Amino acid sequence: MTTDTELNEIFERVSKHFNYRTATAAFEPYRDLKIRWVRTYEQISFYVSDYLKEAPAEVVESIAETLLNKIRGEDSGYTGQTIEWLTSPDFYEKVQPKYLKRDKRTGNAEGEVKDLMESLDRLKGMGLVDRVPEGLKILWSNPGKDREAARSSLLMRVIVINRILDSEEVPDAALDLCILKQMINVTSDFGKVPMIDTEEMDRRILAFPNSEEILEWFKDHGIEF
């Protein structure tokens, strides 16, 4: 675990190697895992997701180095050590509950008409899903005006399906295809750049029976697939 003082010391130390005279860092309770920064010529301030409080100091230091390289225009990606920790049960088990509590858009797994687990089982039965990440939660969104069919977080191991799909008017195949796309997202290789292989995504979606008709259904109903 990394304390507030350690966080500041790590970013201050690493920033000096990148020619910043002054650097500060503080944890912030962001909904998403992210780091924001504000800089001038020789000064830089970092606002770091407090999910990283759970990280060992060496992982935080590695993330700081990766971020400062990226700011300088040299995006080398995360180190193996960072990837291993961010994709480990030790990370998601501690931060997933916080993430779900902070995300007011996310509801529960109970549908009025549709059953999310039945949909996943259909995909497994068709051989379109062969791996489900440990601890994955598939949930409905809270009611709202959003027209995006679904969203997901690989690191938080969460898939959220838009509540508008919980309707008798929605074909089961539309829900299944929607979950398939998000399953592809959450089983992607976090260490790969780019993380999502769009060609592989398209291939797997088109392998779904009548996928083109279903995609047209989403379009006709003004839902962003």
Side-chain angles (χ1 to χ4, degrees):
M1 189 165 182
T2 301
T3 66
D4 295 67
T5 300
E6 288 171 332
L7 177 77
N8 195 71
E9 290 175 348
I10 289 168
F11 273 86
E12 184 177 29
R13 181 173 64 251
V14 174
S15 295
K16 285 182 178 179
H17 292 298
F18 289 81
N19 300 318
Y20 289 101
R21 181 177 297 175
T22 305
T24 60
F27 285 119
E28 297 289 341
Y30 296 133
R31 181 189 67 202
D32 300 311
L33 176 62
K34 63 182 180 180
I35 301 175
R36 299 178 62 189
W37 67 89
V38 178
R39 61 175 173 163
T40 60
Y41 182 66
E42 293 182 327
Q43 298 179 339
I44 190 164
S45 297
F46 297 94
Y47 304 93
V48 181
S49 167
D50 63 356
Y51 297 138
L52 292 180
K53 280 187 176 182
E54 305 296 339
E58 57 268 25
V59 169
V60 175
E61 183 164 347
S62 176
I63 291 172
E65 291 172 351
T66 299
L67 177 59
L68 280 153
N69 272 314
K70 185 175 182 179
I71 292 172
R72 192 166 63 179
E74 301 173 4
D75 189 0
S76 57
Y78 292 111
T79 64
Q81 180 187 34
T82 298
I83 292 168
E84 182 179 0
W85 185 78
L86 286 173
T87 56
S88 71
D90 193 42
F91 175 71
Y92 85 82
E93 287 176 356
K94 292 177 180 176
V95 303
Q96 188 190 69
K98 294 180 184 177
Y99 173 77
L100 292 174
K101 185 176 181 179
R102 291 175 181 177
D103 190 352
K104 304 305 181 185
R105 305 168 298 171
T106 300
N108 55 43
E110 298 300 320
E112 294 183 5
V113 177
K114 303 292 187 183
D115 188 309
L116 296 171
M117 290 301 100
E118 286 183 3
S119 179
L120 182 60
D121 286 342
R122 287 193 292 269
L123 292 170
K124 291 178 182 177
M126 288 187 281
L128 297 175
V129 168
D130 59 5
R131 181 172 74 87
V132 178
E134 181 183 355
L136 178 70
K137 291 188 181 297
I138 305 179
L139 306 167
W140 293 105
S141 70
N142 282 322
K145 296 181 180 180
D146 188 8
R147 301 299 292 178
E148 185 178 22
R151 52 190 163 80
S152 59
S153 170
L154 183 158
L155 294 180
M156 299 300 171
R157 305 197 185 191
V158 172
I159 292 174
V160 181
I161 305 299
N162 196 317
R163 181 73 68 171
I164 59 177
L165 298 182
D166 184 20
S167 167
E168 292 180 353
E169 298 177 1
V170 175
D172 283 345
L175 177 61
D176 296 351
L177 187 60
C178 183
I179 290 180
L180 174 62
K181 178 182 179 181
Q182 301 308 319
M183 287 297 300
I184 296 170
N185 285 336
V186 299
T187 55
S188 297
D189 185 351
F190 181 71
K192 187 178 177 182
V193 179
M195 188 174 67
I196 303 296
D197 185 334
T198 54
E199 290 186 3
E200 175 67 7
M201 169 79 79
D202 291 343
R203 184 192 68 77
R204 291 181 63 182
I205 287 176
L206 290 175
F208 189 92
N210 303 313
S211 59
E212 292 184 359
E213 293 179 14
I214 300 167
L215 292 173
E216 193 65 28
W217 181 91
F218 278 104
K219 183 177 178 182
D220 291 343
H221 287 79
I223 301 173
E224 181 184 347
F225 180 75

